[in-house]
Amino acid sequence: MLFSLIIPVYNRPDEVGELLESLSNLDYKEDFEIVIVEDGSSIKCDDIVRDYGGKLNISYYFKENSGPGNSRNYGMQKAKGDYFIIFDSDCIIPKTYLTEVSNALKQDYVDCFGGPDKALDSFSDIQKAINFAMTSFLTTGGIRGGSEKIDKFQPRSFNMGLSRKAFEASNGFGNIHPGEDPDLSIRLWELGFETRLFPKAFVYHKRRIDWDKFSIQVNKFGKARPILNSWYPQYNKLTFFFPSVFIIGFIVALVFLIFNHDLLLQLYFLYFLVLFLVSTYQNKSFKIGFLSIKAVWNQFYGYGTGFMESFLKIIILKQKPQVAFPELFFKK
């Protein structure tokens, strides 16, 4: 067996049902297995898994809560395949997914890959706006949306492939969250493994979150980045500072406005206008265009302020990450 699909779950049985339904419709003809790891959930998905037992080759494990990284490691330890594919429970998988991955590995094998994410028409307007913010070349540079214009691709764990060899050499994910996926990518590079983007291996990433949860999520992303920079300074990039510079620049623009200098604020207006137009065109909806402005602002503000706080504590004050931000670390 080549593929083992690893899916950590925490209190989201409905999502698991949608995910398993999509996996039951894959056009891949070879055998594959699905490993569900229930990470200490109080609302279990075992009944839903049992319903799909006749359609899919599924193993179900329940363990104490230890975070998504450790749960993925647990699933890979239990899996039988030679190549692990990791999904988040809020993903829906296109029927051609495994066929595309298999073809890509046959053409040019790599021990770790990542794929982009897209939005389905059935997603809510907020979900589509957040998807635009997270995948657009105007915000993240498109690294989650399929752009290959970066020197080393860091796969994201909502849609990631990892060979058994690479897993055993690296010991898998660490206990930081978020940030466990770039941490793993960098450690793989240090061990001599390559990572690559598979543009055709996309998933529909539902992101069942509201505005507040999205802001908290991106704020944690911002906090995690200076920690990773302190661990791996050779992979630091100026682009990591962009959201913080964006927020500081906006404050400066408002100060300039007091003195009747509005050029900088006009540039911000132009940027948000472009965001609105591009999102409206892509999503064919003025409402989603407006919501995308809010999503991008939440994204930059949350990430930027988190980055600045972490930069001060980790880089300037030299605090230990586990002490400065205990909420970012799971105990194994």
Side-chain angles (χ1 to χ4, degrees), residues 29 40 76 85 87 93 109 142 154 169 183 226 238 242 273 294:
K29 302 303 181 183
M76 288 185 280
I85 296 179
F87 295 131
I93 314 304
Y109 184 86
Q154 296 182 358
D183 170 60
L238 288 176
F242 178 74
L273 177 61
K294 178 176 175 58

Side-chain angles (χ1 to χ4, degrees), residues 33 163 196 229 282:
E33 68 167 344
S163 72
R196 190 177 306 133
N229 292 346
Q282 289 183 358

Side-chain angles (χ1 to χ4, degrees), residues 261-278:
H261 296 291
D262 63 352
L263 177 59
L264 185 55
L265 197 61
Q266 288 182 30
L267 293 176
Y268 274 87
F269 176 81
L270 178 61
Y271 175 71
F272 283 116
L273 177 61
V274 172
L275 284 175
F276 167 74
L277 293 174
V278 173

Side-chain angles (χ1 to χ4, degrees), residues 166-233:
F167 169 66
E168 292 175 347
S170 64
N171 293 318
F173 294 94
N175 67 331
I176 188 173
H177 176 72
E180 71 274 21
D181 27 20
D183 170 60
L184 175 56
S185 294
I186 293 171
R187 287 190 286 109
L188 289 172
W189 298 340
E190 297 287 295
L191 290 168
F193 293 99
E194 293 184 3
T195 60
R196 190 177 306 133
L197 171 69
F198 286 0
K200 294 182 179 180
F202 66 89
V203 300
Y204 300 110
H205 197 186
K206 200 159 192 176
R207 293 191 180 92
R208 289 190 174 174
I209 51 181
D210 55 28
W211 290 122
D212 290 338
K213 290 179 180 178
F214 178 58
S215 297
I216 292 171
Q217 182 186 59
V218 293
N219 183 258
K220 287 183 176 181
F221 289 160
K223 290 176 179 177
R225 180 52 67 179
I227 295 173
L228 296 172
N229 292 346
S230 70
W231 291 349
Y232 312 107

Side-chain angles (χ1 to χ4, degrees), residues 243-256 264-265 268:
S244 299
V245 173
F246 184 92
I247 296 301
I248 294 171
F250 186 78
I251 295 172
V252 172
L254 294 178
V255 173
F256 280 3
L264 185 55
L265 197 61
Y268 274 87

